[in-house]
């Protein structure tokens, strides 16, 4: 449960805002090649973190649904109560 909460926290409170920030400044970066090269490594790292967080979140949800069969995925998708 702690790992699941950590992944969700990382995904929703850190990675997604960073990705939004990158999207906002992408218009500025596209016009300046040197600035684009400067931000490329950060973009790659943040993209990889986002990909790992999303894959981890999905795999844990599927683990709870198919292996533990505890209804976690239904709660996540439909907001079902306990």
């Amino acid at each position: 449960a702690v790992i699941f909460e950590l992944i969700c926290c990382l995904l929703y409170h850190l990675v997604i805002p960073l990705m939004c920030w990158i999207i906002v400044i992408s218009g500025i970066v596209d016009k300046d090649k040197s600035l684009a090269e400067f931000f490329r490594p950060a973009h790659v790292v943040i993209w990889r973190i986002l990909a790992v967080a999303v894959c981890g979140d999905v795999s844990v949800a599927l683990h709870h649904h198919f292996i533990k069969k505890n209804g976690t995925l239904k709660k996540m998708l439909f907001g079902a109560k306990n």
Side-chain angles (χ1 to χ4, degrees), residues 4 55-66 70 72-73 76:
F4 177 73
C55 290
D57 197 37
V58 170
S59 65
V60 169
L62 292 175
H63 171 78
H64 278 276
H65 184 71
F66 291 112
N70 60 6
T72 300
L73 185 61
M76 290 170 58

Side-chain angles (χ1 to χ4, degrees), residues 11-78:
L11 179 64
Y12 297 117
H13 298 291
L14 179 65
V15 177
I16 291 176
L18 286 174
M19 292 301 291
C20 292
W21 178 77
I22 287 174
I23 291 169
V24 168
I25 66 165
S26 67
I28 298 167
V29 172
D30 285 342
K31 296 175 185 169
D32 186 355
K33 296 289 183 190
S34 63
L35 196 57
E37 289 302 317
F38 176 77
F39 280 111
R40 184 176 309 269
H43 179 78
V44 169
V45 168
I46 292 170
W47 182 88
R48 287 180 181 167
I49 291 171
L50 178 65
V52 168
V54 168
C55 290
D57 197 37
V58 170
S59 65
V60 169
L62 292 175
H63 171 78
H64 278 276
H65 184 71
F66 291 112
I67 295 174
K68 290 192 172 189
K69 299 182 189 292
N70 60 6
T72 300
L73 185 61
K74 289 179 184 177
K75 291 178 198 173
M76 290 170 58
L77 293 176
F78 306 112

